[in-house]
Amino acid sequence: MPKNKSIKKVLVIGSGPIVIGQAAEFDYAGVQACLALKEEGIEVVLVNSNPATIMTDTDVADKVYIEPLTIEFLERVIRLEKPDSLLPTLGGQTGLNLALELDSAGILAENNVNLIGVNVDSINKAEDRELFKNLMNELELPIPASTIANTAAEAHAFASEIGFPVIIRPAFTLGGSGGGIANNIEELEKIVTHGLDLSPVTQVLIEQSIKGYKEIEYEVICDNKGQAIVVCNMENIDPVGVHTGDSIVVAPSQTLTDREYHRLRTVSLDIIKALGIAGGCNVQLAQDPNSSQFYIIEVNPRVSRSSALASKATGYPIAKISTLIAIGYNLDEIKNPITKDSSAAVEPALDYVALKFARLPFDKLKTNDNRLSTQMQATGEILAIDTNLEAAFLKAIRSLEVKNKYFAHPKFDKMSIHELSSLVTRATDEQIFQMFAMLRQGFDPLKLAKLTEINKFFVFIYKHIIDIENNLIANKFDIEVLKHAKKYGFADEDIARFWETTEAKVREFRQTSGLKPVYKMIDTCAAEFASSTSYFYSAYASQNESNPESDKQKIVVLGSGPIRIGQGIEFDYATVHCIKEVQANGYEAVVINNNPETVSTDFALADKLYIAPMVKEDVLDIIEHEKPVGVIVQFGGQTAINLCQDLTDCGIKILGTQNADIDRVEDREEFEAGLRKIEVLQPQGKIVNSLEEATLAAQSLEYPVLVRPSFVLGGEAMKIISGEASLVDYFENLDKRYFDKPILVDKYVNGMELEVDAVCDGSTVFIPGLIEHIESSGVHSGDSMAVYPPQRVTAEQAAEVVEITEKIAKEFKVLGLMNIQFIIDNGKVFVIEVNPRASRTVPFLVKTTKHNIVKLATNVILGKKLIDLGIDTKLAPNQKLISVKAPVFSFNKIHMIDNLLGPEMKSTGEVMGTDISFEKALYKAFLASNTVISHKGGVLLTASDTKKASIVPIAKLFSKLGFELYATKSTASYLREHGLKPTVVARISDDSEYTIKDLFAEGKLNYVLNVISNDSRVLADEVTIRNIAISQNIPCFSSIDTVSALLKVLVSQGSMINAI
Amino acid sequence: MKKVKLVLENGMSFTADNFGYEVSRTEISEIIFTTSMSGYQEVITDPSYYKQMVVMTYPIVGNYGLNATDFESSKPYLSALIVNEYTEMYSHADANQSLADYLKEHKVPGLCGLDTRELTNVIRNSGCLRAIIVPIDTEVSSLEADLKAWTYTNHVADVSTKVSYVCPGPNYRVALIDCGCKKHIIQKLSKYGCEIIVMPYNSTSEQILKLDADGVMFSNGPGDPKDVPETIKLFKDLHGKLPIFGICLGHQIFALSMGANTSKMKFGHHSSNHPVKDLDLDTILTTTQNHGYAVDKIDLEAHNLRLTHVSLNDDSVEGIESLDKMSYTVQFHPEGNQGPSHDQLFEKFINRMKEEKNA
Ligand SMILES: Nc1ncnc2c1ncn2[C@@H]1O[C@H](COP(=O)(O)OP(=O)(O)O)[C@@H](O)[C@H]1O
Ligand SMILES: Nc1ncnc2c1ncn2[C@@H]1O[C@H](COP(=O)(O)OP(=O)(O)O)[C@@H](O)[C@H]1O
Ligand SMILES: [Mg+2]
Ligand SMILES: [Mg+2]
């Protein structure tokens, strides 16, 4: 059957904001889908609430709506646009759920919209536990035994029947939060009680545990005729029990025999055929390492995170092929876009290994529990490719952008085997370092495999790395030993450490010995067919396949590595636009990046793509191979900026702002001096090295002060300190590693925060618009709500901001993009930070102001002047529509994390709401960020002493709108003194019959306000309250300004009534 | 591990480590590559690889050791196994031996530590080549003439069973003509309850007919089908007398017996991911393939043959059936192991035998 002729206009739903478990992979999938549809002459309508995506660019879809992803808004889009079809399988779980809701609400039928790529029946069969169970029984496929329990006793009975351990998953909590694995009755009691608390229907699912099995995934694709293939299979190195999103994963599987591989393959194909899915699908299975027993874990009837990984690992574009299938094509009618010659029905064959490491957020989201479990916690991931696993592992750790770039960890390497043995049994983000520490001390790999339940095959790989390490230590500057080490992935930097020399010396020795990597092609077919894809990885082997010859000049664009809190999808957005513009200027764009989830690593985008660690050696090797005219670093976030120094030192030409100038911005003293010179205000600050110095500094600056370690990102370990006691506290609790570098103490300036992104061409600047924060300074810019155009900034202030921006651009010789953060306090404009690069706010500005500043900046970097690009103003006039950006958090995914907002960034993504008035835009932003807006109900108020006064006006307004006020004892009496009548409610820890917990259980709360100063001691009680609120999706605020904004929305919607 | 040199007939040579059996100089044989990512145990014991050096394009081999059940025959047939990276520290509950130990025990060299993708590119570009493994210091030029001159035509005779034997079963009796049969073909037939009488490749039709079999299976095997005129004649004599099913070499023999032609392919099909279109069912099958010759597509009808399966990659013939439906054969391996299996082709055979019996 050729293309289905009745499909003319398709609605595609995006996945919304980036949250843990749903990240950039859906932008990658969505973009592929939209482009494939357009290529077929189909009109595409796209809805997504996330502005920081390529899919929401107007050249990707014909009509783009950045609106909240709710059925109300989708229905509006459907009525307006009248699409004939809806493609729901590319927007993650969000897109799929919305499609189901639209269907069951009858909206699709009413508007004659067909679901394509999947039908409701198959989604239900895959997603509904009961139906799935039935289907598996029908197919005679094994799944773990399970039951639903409403009480601890029921859970207990089931557990004693099937035996421990068991898995507990609370029903209907967001993202399955509150689940876990219980090994005994005590743990069961604890998890079940907590789970029942969190579950709005007081229900948990208890399941037989198959922890310790091999976890295997198959990415399958099926067409309209039921013809199905496996694109890729993957083995999780962490066994079942650790979410696949957090596991180290290798493609293809390493420890399955052919018989096992094909048994699971057949099962996966049988399932997709039985489900009747036309498109991509992910099947997770568990294989007993000691018998032929296997289980089906789950099926995701849609394109998933794993399919993005599988696409990048194999070169097979799953989302694109799925889309073609959805519009009626079958596998035998589609050519493999990589080889252009073989059929899309060929299952890819790999001749390398592809390794995924998860990027976990524990460096930013402080929790005392970094265990990996059945709930995904990673924010991003990296891909490392080589022809042996050792090299893939070593590339992976270099790519991950964590403290250690090698499998050595000062803390664990100092510990005894005894200490390590007890730690290593728990799967954490640190486990692999513990394993290496033990092997380094001679611990038996077989015993280690037993302790960790990690297959000994992989432990032997680690052991081999240690062997090579020892060999290097014993044989300094031995070329044969070096050759061997390079083949297995050791970096010059690591070798330099073992040889007690410098990286430069090792590099020189290596290069004079003629030892350099070659680049191998990823072609989906293991060289069986000739292919000309420009998708490469490095290997120390004999034949190079990446021909550096070209008729065009080349420019290397550095990507931004794994997504983590503070450096998200926004940088991929900027990178992609830079690549396109470099190409539009007649250059060949060469991209280096390692994030498999992104659009920038789509091998169809750049002229050449290298998957490589973003560190000096790997990047430099590629640059030396390609010989570009220059390298663009300013769109790849801090990752790329950090490479600037090294590249400059090696004589590589940086295009855009030069390293010396970047340095002057990032070096605090030079920066201060620069600002002083151009007479720009900055909050006063001091650099200190001890508590004593800090105390003196704070006294002279006057409290409150802002304290933070130097050389950190995303406001790491940053706190607002209001008095000496807190300062002592801060120093006592600060992680020791921060004391290597000075500590910064700044005057805390309380005011309105503004942000500017500007393009500078060396003589003029262009600012597309100012962004005003809704929360006052003190909430990290990434976590605050913000509005464009500004609502409170006067014309004089705006002019001053423009003037300062110009001055800074000139003083620091900025060429390209720059981001400046300002605080306006009492009419005075302070600069708090300058980032000489693209920033988080760039996509928001591009979408709201319609000025593509990445495009402009790229042209400027390539030598054009703003005036020649049609820019003749410094500050673009404001748009009529008002847009509000709201942060989105993933607190429900991390065990007992404290969600208080402060100067340390915690959000994972953002949404945008646009409308004709500020209130309406705010409303959409709240909705889009999944804030449940209630016009009646109960509000729980708690405030620390210094903040009590600030909540009074808010409490009054809530009361005036008819809300029931609840407050803890001291807050309540304070409110009473101010004429309010809150109901006093006992704290959870109080010995009382009725506490806050009961309020939650009875569903009496619609909003929770927990306003405490940034440096007050965290009370366990408050953390629990916030956690319950989050798990039940009850809006929970810690900033007065956010609540005020919410109240604005309520009032604007007519919530307030007045008697005459 | 000892360093050795792999020399190709085009004069190229590769230095490698030998993790298998140490031999100072191997016999000359053909070098081919397979893109299967697993199943090295099946590959090394598949008689179809007789007199071939096999390059595995998947780079890490040996991971799960060798077990007692996944052999295709009682010994390895290939002349050398060539991999990028060999894993000695294997890991699998069923494993009882390492790949290296097995190769050593059966005197087969195993090469590793060379750029197998480069080697694969060479084979793909120049077609399958003759090759030899020699000591590291051997002059390449001294080997060229020998390499270019080498031919071999006795493959099937070398690997076929010399005497007939029986694998008992309750249902249909199948005469299996062993041209180098994979054990999994026999196992598959057994699974359907067949009694299997395995016969040498050069049996006569009288000998076969005397068995009173319900059907005949012509197996896979190594080499050029034109090297076994006796087996071609056997097929011709049996065709029409009882249901016949053929696989791989058996398929090529069938075509020749009907008067169609076969040709040598550039580098053959060796993998477990080849899509084949089943023209009768109008569906795609992902198949395992291992052949260096193919049936020519021209004039099949003129020889009373009908195309049933075709390769989606290169449009080559993957399955045929006689117009009288008495015999049908496929080029790929429907028995699975290694690779996917396609039981419907065996079921068809069983049904054909049933029909004939009832008729
Ligand atoms: N019965 C079980 N016993 C032990 N671990 C399990 C079990 N079921 C699932 N898991 C683990 O939990 C993880 C998440 O479960 P899954 O059903 O895949 O949910 P999700 O939709 O979050 O991916 C899996 O990757 C697996 O490691
Ligand atoms: N001197 C200051 N006074 C008040 N708030 C400040 C001050 N410095 C920083 N902040 C707040 O802390 C947040 C993070 O600080 P910033 O310097 O921008 O760090 P980062 O490098 O993480 O972006 C800012 O967004 C702002 O809200
Ligand atoms: Mg899962
Ligand atoms: Mg900042």
Side-chain angles (χ1 to χ4, degrees), chain A residues 215 217 243-244 282 284 297-298 300 305:
Chain A
E215 186 154 2
E217 291 176 86
H243 196 281
T244 55
N282 159 268
Q284 277 164 246
I297 297 175
E298 72 153 348
N300 292 307
R305 182 181 43 71

Side-chain angles (χ1 to χ4, degrees), chain A residues 662-912:
Chain A
I662 295 175
D663 256 9
R664 281 185 64 217
V665 176
E666 296 202 327
D667 182 291
R668 187 165 161 115
E669 280 174 32
E670 288 196 45
F671 181 60
E672 274 178 14
L675 289 192
R676 231 178 290 125
K677 191 172 132 204
I678 54 174
E679 295 176 339
V680 168
L681 283 181
Q682 199 193 4
Q684 285 184 336
K686 297 240 151 74
I687 302 175
V688 303
N689 285 301
S690 64
L691 174 59
E692 292 69 43
E693 285 177 37
T695 318
L696 289 175
Q699 275 165 5
S700 80
L701 294 169
E702 290 180 13
Y703 289 100
V705 291
L706 197 105
V707 190
R708 64 173 126 175
S710 48
F711 297 97
V712 297
L713 270 178
E716 194 175 319
M718 189 167 186
K719 263 211 156 80
I720 299 163
I721 304 282
S722 45
E724 191 162 331
S726 321
L727 191 65
V728 174
D729 238 33
Y730 178 86
F731 270 78
E732 272 173 4
N733 291 317
L734 189 66
D735 198 307
K736 295 290 161 284
R737 68 193 158 95
Y738 292 123
F739 288 110
D740 301 345
K741 299 261 165 59
I743 307 283
L744 311 177
V745 181
D746 287 334
K747 172 74 193 153
Y748 170 67
V749 181
N750 190 8
M752 169 171 62
E753 200 166 335
L754 276 185
E755 226 167 307
V756 158
D757 289 282
V759 185
C760 325
D761 67 3
S763 42
T764 28
V765 301
F766 171 64
I767 302 170
L770 308 183
I771 299 177
E772 174 187 307
H773 288 197
I774 286 168
E775 289 85 359
S776 52
S777 58
V779 173
H780 193 276
S781 53
D783 286 355
S784 51
M785 293 181 82
V787 57
Y788 164 87
Q791 302 296 301
R792 293 171 286 168
V793 179
T794 63
E796 294 76 48
Q797 287 169 342
E800 194 176 344
V801 163
V802 173
E803 194 194 319
I804 294 175
T805 304
E806 239 183 325
K807 280 190 192 164
I808 290 179
K810 289 210 178 107
E811 171 62 24
F812 294 98
K813 301 203 189 73
V814 176
L815 185 62
L817 270 176
M818 151 179 87
N819 162 271
I820 310 180
Q821 280 157 258
F822 298 92
I823 299 177
I824 303 185
D825 177 29
N826 266 326
K828 277 200 249 160
V829 181
F830 296 87
V831 166
I832 51 173
E833 191 188 26
V834 173
N835 293 307
R837 53 166 170 81
S839 77
R840 195 177 305 112
T841 36
V842 164
F844 174 73
L845 273 172
V846 173
K847 297 282 150 70
T848 52
T849 67
K850 314 275 191 289
H851 287 286
N852 192 331
I853 45 177
V854 180
K855 218 168 156 167
L856 281 178
T858 306
N859 278 301
V860 159
I861 290 168
L862 296 177
K864 294 192 184 149
K865 290 286 170 200
L866 282 168
I867 187 85
D868 301 326
L869 295 163
I871 300 292
D872 52 8
T873 53
K874 289 176 189 168
L875 176 61
N878 287 340
Q879 296 278 330
K880 288 212 176 57
L881 290 179
I882 294 172
S883 299
V884 170
K885 178 208 93 169
V888 175
F889 302 87
S890 302
F891 293 134
N892 56 330
K893 310 277 174 163
I894 312 285
H895 309 295
M896 299 306 276
I897 162 88
D898 195 12
N899 64 323
L900 264 194
L901 297 192
E904 191 166 3
M905 179 165 168
K906 291 177 174 176
S907 64
T908 51
E910 65 186 42
V911 291
M912 172 169 124

